[in-house]
């Protein structure tokens, strides 16, 4: 994957399969705006050859980038999340966009900035999409996760509401 990294600096690269002598490998490359493609890497020639998409119907579609954001909940807790804007829309659009607030299930789960076909479908149709990792979400430390204990329908819901207000203010 080190040889492929300069060609895909913002992508996640995985080795899916390799020959016994490691002279050839199949790499899977994806990012939040790239649905995933398979490449054949040949070490001897240092060649990377594209050969298959994960979502062929999306190959010619403009995809939206997913941006990491933080907002402050009403009690001062910094709440992480992600904002996806329609392709071609700047960070500060000239007019308000229709929006979807898309919290994850859980409560002890989380959202990632990975490619998500649902997010891309919404963004492709002109919607801004906000995902928040409300208190109690995993992946942000034990203190953040434990702040959600016994807060389902209370402070956790406030985090979703406060994220919605943050988006409106943007």
């Amino acid at each position: 994957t080190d040889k492929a990294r300069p060609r895909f600096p913002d992508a996640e690269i995985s080795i899916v399969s390799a020959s016994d002598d490691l002279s050839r490998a199949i790499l899977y490359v994806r990012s939040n705006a790239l649905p995933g493609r398979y490449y054949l890497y040949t070490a001897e020639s240092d060649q990377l050859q594209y050969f298959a998409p994960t979502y062929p119907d999306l190959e010619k579609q403009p995809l939206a980038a997913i941006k990491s954001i933080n907002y402050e909940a009403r009690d001062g807790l910094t709440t992480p999340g992600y904002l996806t804007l329609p392709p071609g829309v700047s960070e500060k659009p000239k007019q308000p966009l229709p929006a979807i607030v898309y919290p994850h299930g859980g409560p002890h789960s989380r959202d990632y900035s990975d490619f998500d076909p649902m997010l891309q479908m919404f963004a492709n149709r002109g919607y801004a999409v906000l995902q928040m990792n409300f208190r109690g979400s995993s992946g942000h430390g034990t203190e953040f996760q434990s702040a959600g204990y016994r807060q389902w329908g209370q402070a956790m819901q406030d985090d979703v509401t406060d994220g919605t207000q943050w988006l409106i203010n943007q």
Side-chain angles (χ1 to χ4, degrees):
T1 61
D2 291 341
K3 295 281 189 172
R5 173 74 41 222
R7 297 171 189 163
F8 305 102
D10 297 326
E12 179 182 314
I13 302 170
S14 326
I15 298 174
V16 176
S17 185
S19 62
D20 289 340
D21 65 357
L22 302 178
S23 64
R24 296 189 316 168
I26 297 174
L27 305 180
Y28 179 66
V29 180
R30 72 177 186 162
S31 69
N32 60 18
L34 176 68
R37 294 179 178 158
Y38 291 95
Y39 291 84
L40 174 64
Y41 176 73
T42 307
E44 182 180 328
S45 60
D46 193 26
Q47 293 273 340
L48 196 60
Q49 180 181 1
Y50 169 74
F51 73 89
T54 305
Y55 294 93
D57 292 342
L58 296 180
E59 283 295 299
K60 293 186 171 132
Q61 297 296 318
L63 298 178
I66 301 168
K67 177 185 165 201
S68 293
I69 56 100
N70 287 299
Y71 63 89
E72 191 172 304
R74 64 188 68 184
D75 63 359
L77 181 71
T78 299
T79 307
Y82 300 101
L83 179 62
T84 305
L85 296 175
V89 173
S90 68
E91 254 182 72
K92 294 283 185 179
K94 293 177 182 164
Q95 60 188 31
L97 296 171
I100 295 172
V101 177
Y102 195 53
H104 63 74
H108 304 298
S109 182
R110 67 166 292 181
D111 280 315
Y112 295 87
S113 63
D114 294 343
F115 174 81
D116 180 324
M118 288 291 281
L119 292 178
Q120 293 296 330
M121 182 193 68
F122 295 143
N124 179 272
R125 283 152 180 81
Y127 289 88
V129 183
L130 175 65
Q131 300 168 273
M132 68 283 297
N133 283 315
F134 46 79
R135 71 188 74 217
S137 298
S138 59
H140 300 284
T142 54
E143 188 176 324
F144 188 82
Q145 186 168 350
S146 64
Y149 293 168
R150 303 178 74 143
Q151 293 300 310
W152 189 251
Q154 297 174 56
M156 290 171 122
Q157 181 60 47
D158 291 343
D159 292 347
V160 174
T161 303
D162 296 341
T164 303
Q165 188 59 56
W166 174 87
L167 183 59
I168 291 167
N169 294 342
Q170 298 303 303

